[in-house]
Amino acid sequence: MDATILLVSASARAEDCATFLSRRINTAIEVVTNRRSALATLRRHEFQVVMVDAELATQYPDGADLFWQHAGLALPILFRMPAEDCSQLLREVRSGLARREREQQLARRLVSASLEADLKSSVTGILLESELALREPGISPVLERRLRHLAELASTLRDRLRPEGAV
């Protein structure tokens, strides 16, 4: 199983928290202990989530920004390593992943709606142009047959793009 979470922390508790999280959310977690290793790992692999210990991030003038710049599309989580229980960290990861899933679903719906609108517009244009071409005087029977077929195809596609129940 490829790691889908990168946990960046110099804390002695990092491995324990990674094991705890991995078992609860059933995913692989790669742990790195310093900035250099984190950046090298981010250059080599894509992650779903990049978790950076705030303690480590504050050691550098650019804070966590450099991590986020290299994280790609990964969900960024800045956290404080808990002294004992990693349950709060688990809630943050689950909440972040759920939020990311909702955002991705919304983005897919928006893209789908946009493509559908573009397609409807194009089909309407094809239908209109083919019908106008059929009204031209003196078109050959072969061209007329092809234009009628094109108009039928466009009309069928337009009907399929209509929402169910629409007239």
Side-chain angles (χ1 to χ4, degrees):
M1 164 170 46
D2 288 338
T4 57
I5 296 178
L6 177 64
L7 192 148
V8 185
S9 176
S11 170
R13 298 241 333 112
E15 287 292 339
D16 291 340
C17 274
T19 300
F20 175 83
L21 293 171
S22 180
R23 287 182 182 151
R24 299 305 186 288
I25 58 178
N26 194 29
T27 192
I29 299 177
E30 185 169 343
V31 178
V32 295
T33 58
N34 59 55
R35 177 175 133 155
R36 178 174 285 151
S37 296
L39 295 175
T41 302
L42 288 169
R43 280 191 284 278
R44 287 191 315 270
H45 303 289
E46 291 286 322
F47 292 91
Q48 190 175 10
V49 178
V50 174
M51 303 170 60
V52 177
D53 191 334
E55 200 62 36
L56 184 65
T58 57
Q59 292 176 6
Y60 302 100
D62 56 4
D65 292 341
L66 195 56
F67 293 115
W68 307 149
Q69 289 171 12
H70 289 81
L73 297 175
L75 173 69
I77 297 178
L78 187 65
F79 71 97
R80 295 225 178 267
M81 184 60 71
E84 293 178 17
D85 186 17
C86 296
S87 297
Q88 177 60 34
L89 198 51
L90 175 62
R91 284 189 291 277
E92 285 184 50
V93 171
R94 281 184 173 158
S95 173
L97 289 172
R99 184 176 58 254
R100 172 64 56 91
E101 180 60 30
R102 286 189 306 273
E103 290 169 355
Q104 287 175 340
Q105 286 175 355
L106 178 59
R108 281 191 291 272
R109 282 197 302 266
L110 291 172
V111 166
S112 178
S114 176
L115 287 173
E116 186 176 333
D118 289 348
L119 188 55
K120 285 179 180 179
S121 177
S122 295
V123 166
T124 299
I126 292 169
L127 188 56
L128 179 62
E129 289 297 326
S130 60
E131 288 175 353
L132 288 173
L134 282 168
R135 292 183 187 156
E136 289 291 319
I139 61 170
S140 72
V142 172
L143 182 57
E144 181 181 353
R145 200 169 40 253
R146 288 182 178 165
L147 286 171
R148 287 198 190 287
H149 183 66
L150 181 62
E152 287 172 16
L153 290 172
S155 181
T156 300
L157 189 52
R158 180 193 59 195
D159 292 343
R160 290 179 67 194
L161 289 170
R162 281 192 182 133
E164 289 187 31
V167 178

